[in-house]
Amino acid sequence: MDWLTPEEECLLVNASEAASLWALLADWTESEDEETWREAVPLFLPLVESWVEQGYLEVFRAAEPPAYIGGTPLRGPELAAALRDPDTWEYHEDRTVGLYATPAATVLGTDPAERDS
């Protein structure tokens, strides 16, 4: 998908898989080191916010993945606060914050040249 940045493609794949935020970071960094994951948060935080605003993503808090099943949606100020809390992006056995690609996100996986035809 050469029309997406590598970060956007990684986010789209992980959201399509209903991954947790920590899994997005692990996938991006190709590392199991949580300290390395923290370095990627500033890269993805604004992208997650932007895609939520555009209707491509939803973010949920839950006891276990996938968070969108039975989880609580995070929106507005609650989402902003959660995304700015480093704990939100870390792995926890008893809770998770996860991504969910909405049906509107399917447009992201389509070549822009094909969207107009």
Side-chain angles (χ1 to χ4, degrees):
M1 291 186 267
D2 60 350
W3 56 90
L4 296 175
T5 67
E7 297 87 350
E8 290 171 330
E9 186 171 355
C10 184
L11 179 56
L12 180 59
V13 168
N14 278 271
S16 297
E17 295 172 351
S20 296
L21 286 176
W22 70 265
L24 166 69
L25 301 178
D27 188 29
W28 177 255
T29 62
E30 298 179 350
S31 173
E32 295 179 13
D33 177 28
E34 292 187 40
E35 190 62 39
T36 302
W37 299 351
R38 285 183 195 95
E39 296 170 8
V41 171
L43 184 66
F44 286 101
L45 190 153
L47 187 54
V48 169
E49 286 184 319
S50 173
W51 280 17
V52 167
E53 186 177 305
Q54 294 176 67
Y56 300 138
L57 285 181
E58 290 184 15
V59 179
F60 292 84
R61 183 185 315 271
E64 61 186 21
Y68 76 95
I69 297 178
T72 303
L74 299 175
R75 297 188 176 105
E78 185 180 18
L79 174 63
L83 291 177
R84 280 160 183 74
D85 180 354
D87 185 69
T88 300
W89 298 82
E90 295 175 359
Y91 171 79
H92 299 281
E93 286 188 30
D94 62 340
R95 65 190 188 280
T96 192
V97 174
L99 302 164
Y100 176 75
T102 69
T106 56
V107 71
L108 298 171
T110 304
D111 185 333
E114 295 176 17
R115 290 182 211 160
D116 299 331
S117 55

